Amino acid sequence: MTNTYKSRADVPDKEKWNIEDIYPSIESWEADYHFIEQMTAKLKQYDGAIHDGISLYLYLSEKEEVSSKFNLVYVYGMLQSDVDTRDTLAQSLVDRAKQLAVKLSAATSFFMPYLLSLEESTLKEYIQNEPRLQYFEKDLFEAYRYKAHVLTKENEEILSHLGEALSAPSNTYNMLNNADIKFGDVTNNEGVKVELTRGMYSKLIEDDDRNKRKEAYKAYYKPYLQLKNSIASTLAANVKTNVTLARLRNYPSALEKGLFGDMVPKEVYENLIAATKGNLAPLHRYTAIRKEKLAMEELRQYDLNVPLVNGIKMEISYDEAYETILNALAPLGEDYLGTLKIFKDGRMIDVRETPGKRSGAYNLGVYGVHPFVLLNQHDDLDSMFTMIHEFGHAMHSWYSSSHQPRISAGYSIFVAEVASTVNEVLLINYLLNKETSDEIRKHLLNHFIDQFRGTFYTQVMFAEFEKITHEMAESGKPLNVEVFNQLYESLFRQYNGDEVVFDEEVKYGWSRIPHFYRPFYVYKYATGFASAIHIAEKLLAGDETTLTAYLDFLKSGSSDYPLELLKKTGVDLTTPEPINQALKRFDALVSEFAQI
């Protein structure tokens, strides 16, 4: 059974991450904070004082040191705040770090306009005269790609001072969504009304009892409907901020600004949507199978997650899940498995849901320390898949940090979802292969189809919602509750088909998606999933060339552009082939399930 904790203090230390790995005390944190303050003032003095290779190197090396320490300062507060969003001391550390970030950004805002004022021949001369600059060479010349999008020194400084204000819509939504929202009541097994939590919802929405699903669904959406105007305001402001920044920086569109850093052509994004919209038939077929299997006259949104195989409740303890994960990832080799064992023993994982803890799950790689993985474990199949997903991210962070210098150790979000999804595909394959019970195999197949639907189709639907809302803002059209509702309802119907009967809550789905506050992020789940399907199937076939290429990919950080890194594993997303292959795989899964 899932352990339920009323307080973080009740959770065993071995199931909590140890943030003393970052700073042993608050005094150590304060020391670095004050060091950054002093160095920020020093960095500002380089404005107008960089005239040769030596001064350029000194500025860049000092800025890297300050940025590295700032990352530790911010993460230390963030990790404490995330395990209890009500903790005012932790929140004050985060707030102070954010204020420091604004000062640091303002102090260094002169540099990009300065760099782009140099002739490339002058920069080459600086590097030739100061060999230590070779460490920064790739990033320095990458900056010239942004030349058309960098403003004057004065305007860059103004924008940097506005950083905190411009992030207000996202920050406001996060506080509403994680700290302030109170869900409605549901009836527990003893017949007593209790307040719904996110963790309870994820379980109840899969319950065999339709009345429980409906009650949980209504209770979950209740605060979003109550706050619909406030949330519409934050989302509209966020979209308009993205559009305004794109215009100020001379991008053709907010979408192209969002894709520019990864050097992804907008055609990759548009082709993803077009290919998916052209292959909705298998998803509609699966929805029809769901309606038939559940023997319902009317299929509703709260019926879309209940397992279609009755009587299978897989309770999997945290320790058991960890062992299963290690077995499933055997195709990745002993070094991979040995490292993953360290995560658990080294207290790099925060396991349990507790009051005030941030919802969901994530990995945060901290260069020079180690990855930190946040979970809200519920000892079931979904929790095990969430674990192996985040471990994929964590291993990517570990490998990149171990094999790349600081400047190229961070990897693009575009490639991040590949590592996590490869792990998920390996897990479902392992579970299906070792399971002898037909009923459990059907349950696992059902689970994988639902996982595919959520990670691929749903994310493409979200990506289309983002694209359309930004285009509306760019053409001056209003964004409000009614507009968001109409668009979301239309897309939901297109993707899920006509079998679903709509409750009022369906059209408010946009209001509960935190990823909408990270512009043009969600499509990367789908491209990552398609890439992972390709890689995992070759790994399972024992392709040693792919294994070597994939481990090298994990070690590559940001040493090349994302599309180029993926090409080295055999995946070319500039062609429709990986997307089409993934969609064929989904079609085959649905056909197999239909036969059973």
Side-chain angles (χ1 to χ4, degrees):
M1 291 292 291
T2 302
N3 289 321
T4 303
Y5 296 98
K6 294 183 179 178
S7 165
R8 181 166 176 79
D10 298 334
V11 180
D13 283 346
K14 67 180 182 178
E15 294 188 356
K16 293 187 285 192
W17 57 34
N18 182 17
I19 62 162
E20 290 181 4
D21 289 346
I22 304 176
Y23 289 111
S25 65
I26 191 66
E27 289 76 21
S28 303
W29 183 90
E30 291 284 0
D32 266 3
Y33 187 93
H34 292 304
F35 171 81
I36 297 166
E37 280 188 316
Q38 292 165 0
M39 287 299 293
T40 297
K42 185 179 178 185
L43 289 173
K44 178 72 173 172
Q45 293 171 8
Y46 280 95
D47 187 1
I50 301 176
H51 303 298
D52 54 24
I54 294 175
S55 53
L56 177 58
Y57 171 76
L58 290 173
Y59 168 79
L60 291 172
S61 59
E62 288 173 14
K63 181 176 182 291
E64 184 181 60
E65 182 185 6
V66 173
S67 298
S68 173
K69 287 190 181 295
F70 172 78
N71 187 46
L72 298 179
V73 161
Y74 182 80
V75 164
Y76 183 79
M78 174 188 149
L79 293 178
Q80 292 188 78
S81 177
D82 282 355
V83 296
D84 189 351
T85 55
R86 307 164 304 176
D87 184 341
T88 54
L89 174 59
Q91 191 58 51
S92 72
L93 297 182
V94 174
D95 289 342
R96 288 176 63 193
K98 286 179 178 177
Q99 292 163 13
L100 193 57
V102 172
K103 293 176 184 175
L104 181 58
S105 176
T108 57
S109 63
F110 76 90
F111 182 72
M112 190 63 83
Y114 156 76
L115 178 63
L116 297 182
S117 71
L118 288 180
E119 295 294 331
E120 288 192 47
S121 57
T122 303
L123 180 57
K124 288 176 181 175
E125 183 182 328
Y126 284 177
I127 295 171
Q128 188 175 356
N129 294 336
E130 176 48 83
R132 291 179 296 178
L133 278 172
Q134 291 173 8
Y135 174 77
F136 299 101
E137 183 173 3
K138 181 175 175 287
D139 277 16
L140 288 170
F141 282 104
E142 166 71 3
Y144 284 95
R145 201 164 66 86
Y146 287 82
K147 193 161 188 172
H149 310 297
V150 174
L151 309 181
T152 64
K153 183 174 77 172
E154 292 75 19
N155 286 338
E156 285 293 340
E157 187 165 359
I158 290 169
L159 273 184
S160 68
H161 281 298
L162 288 172
E164 198 170 1
L166 293 174
S167 63
S170 173
N171 292 338
T172 301
Y173 178 79
N174 285 336
M175 291 307 292
L176 279 172
N177 201 35
N178 290 308
D180 294 340
I181 271 184
K182 300 295 182 189
F183 297 107
D185 291 340
V186 293
T187 310
N188 66 14
N189 291 333
E190 287 74 45
V192 178
K193 289 283 187 181
V194 295
E195 184 183 325
L196 182 70
T197 67
R198 293 183 198 276
M200 289 166 60
Y201 178 72
S202 67
K203 302 279 282 185
L204 288 171
I205 202 64
E206 296 181 356
D207 200 280
D208 291 336
D209 186 336
R210 195 184 196 208
N211 289 327
K212 285 188 176 181
R213 296 201 303 272
K214 180 179 179 180
E215 185 184 41
Y217 176 78
K218 298 288 184 183
Y220 181 75
Y221 271 90
K222 183 179 178 181
Y224 293 107
L225 268 66
Q226 289 172 335
L227 294 167
K228 60 187 178 183
N229 291 301
S230 298
I231 296 175
S233 177
T234 62
L235 183 57
N238 200 67
V239 171
K240 290 172 185 176
T241 297
N242 299 336
V243 168
T244 300
L245 288 173
R247 282 180 180 153
L248 287 174
R249 293 199 175 280
N250 302 309
Y251 288 95
S253 66
L255 172 61
E256 284 161 284
K257 177 180 182 294
L259 304 180
F260 188 83
D262 289 327
M263 211 162 82
V264 172
K266 69 174 182 177
E267 288 75 20
V268 170
Y269 194 101
E270 292 168 342
N271 290 342
L272 170 68
I273 294 173
T276 306
K277 294 290 281 284
N279 285 275
L280 292 174
L283 182 59
H284 294 172
R285 188 152 49 94
Y286 175 61
T287 305
I289 291 169
R290 173 171 285 278
K291 180 181 179 182
E292 180 184 351
K293 179 69 178 170
L294 294 174
M296 289 180 174
E297 291 185 14
E298 293 183 341
L299 189 74
R300 296 182 180 268
Q301 189 178 12
Y302 48 81
D303 301 319
L304 296 181
N305 295 296
V306 59
L308 297 181
V309 183
N310 293 329
I312 306 293
K313 293 291 184 184
M314 299 180 71
E315 290 188 356
I316 307 165
S317 72
Y318 173 60
D319 290 334
E320 183 187 350
Y322 218 107
E323 284 303 310
T324 300
I325 284 169
L326 291 172
N327 291 330
L329 298 180
L332 295 175
E334 287 302 317
D335 182 70
Y336 191 102
L337 298 181
T339 302
L340 192 51
K341 290 174 185 176
I342 296 171
F343 291 177
K344 186 181 181 188
D345 299 335
R347 290 184 59 195
M348 302 180 195
I349 309 165
D350 208 87
V351 180
R352 297 295 170 187
E353 182 183 29
T354 48
K357 186 175 178 179
R358 173 177 167 154
S359 63
Y362 65 68
N363 159 71
L364 189 67
V366 183
Y367 192 89
V369 186
H370 56 68
F372 288 83
V373 177
L374 180 137
L375 303 173
N376 279 278
Q377 180 78 7
H378 285 91
D379 293 347
D380 57 13
L381 189 65
D382 281 339
S383 290
M384 183 163 68
F385 270 93
T386 298
M387 282 172 65
I388 204 167
H389 180 102
E390 297 306 333
F391 290 168
H393 290 312
M395 287 299 297
H396 198 172
S397 297
W398 178 281
Y399 272 127
S400 287
S401 294
S402 302
H403 291 83
Q404 294 291 325
R406 186 184 303 278
I407 198 168
S408 57
Y411 50 82
S412 164
I413 293 170
F414 187 92
V415 295
E417 297 306 330
V418 175
S420 55
T421 311
V422 163
N423 280 12
E424 289 190 66
V425 176
L426 293 178
L427 175 58
I428 194 68
N429 181 80
Y430 171 79
L431 294 173
L432 284 169
N433 282 344
K434 82 178 186 69
E435 188 53 62
T436 56
S437 162
D438 285 343
E439 286 302 299
I440 293 180
R441 290 190 86 259
K442 285 189 283 188
H443 175 71
L444 291 168
L445 193 58
N446 176 203
H447 184 276
F448 189 38
I449 291 172
D450 284 341
Q451 196 84 358
F452 202 132
R453 184 190 63 182
T455 308
F456 190 89
Y457 281 104
T458 300
Q459 303 307 321
V460 176
M461 183 183 78
F462 290 164
E464 189 171 3
F465 179 88
E466 277 193 285
K467 182 175 182 288
I468 293 171
T469 51
H470 281 79
E471 287 171 348
M472 292 177 74
E474 284 165 344
S475 61
K477 293 178 181 175
L479 295 176
N480 51 46
V481 172
E482 287 74 21
V483 170
F484 291 141
N485 281 356
Q486 288 173 14
L487 175 58
Y488 193 88
E489 184 173 5
S490 170
L491 290 173
F492 193 95
R493 192 174 296 282
Q494 290 173 45
Y495 279 78
N496 290 280
D498 295 328
E499 296 287 357
V500 183
V501 176
F502 280 26
D503 290 275
E504 176 70 8
E505 288 82 359
V506 172
K507 61 189 178 187
Y508 289 94
W510 56 268
S511 65
R512 59 179 186 83
I513 311 299
H515 282 125
F516 286 159
Y517 295 82
R518 300 181 69 176
F520 306 108
Y521 173 91
V522 292
Y523 88 101
K524 299 170 188 179
Y525 283 108
T527 53
F529 194 92
S531 302
I533 290 283
H534 178 96
I535 293 168
E537 289 185 349
K538 290 204 168 188
L539 291 173
L540 290 167
D543 187 327
E544 289 294 328
T545 302
T546 297
L547 174 59
T548 301
Y550 178 61
L551 293 177
D552 285 344
F553 163 81
L554 295 181
K555 298 169 185 175
S556 296
S558 57
S559 58
D560 205 343
Y561 293 116
L563 292 180
E564 297 307 311
L565 290 174
L566 282 171
K567 282 179 185 178
K568 293 170 186 175
T569 70
V571 177
D572 186 356
L573 284 169
T574 62
T575 74
E577 197 226 349
I579 306 302
N580 288 333
Q581 284 298 113
L583 293 167
K584 283 180 185 176
R585 177 79 169 120
F586 184 81
D587 193 7
L589 287 166
V590 172
S591 296
E592 184 180 351
F593 189 73
Q595 276 189 323
I596 293 174

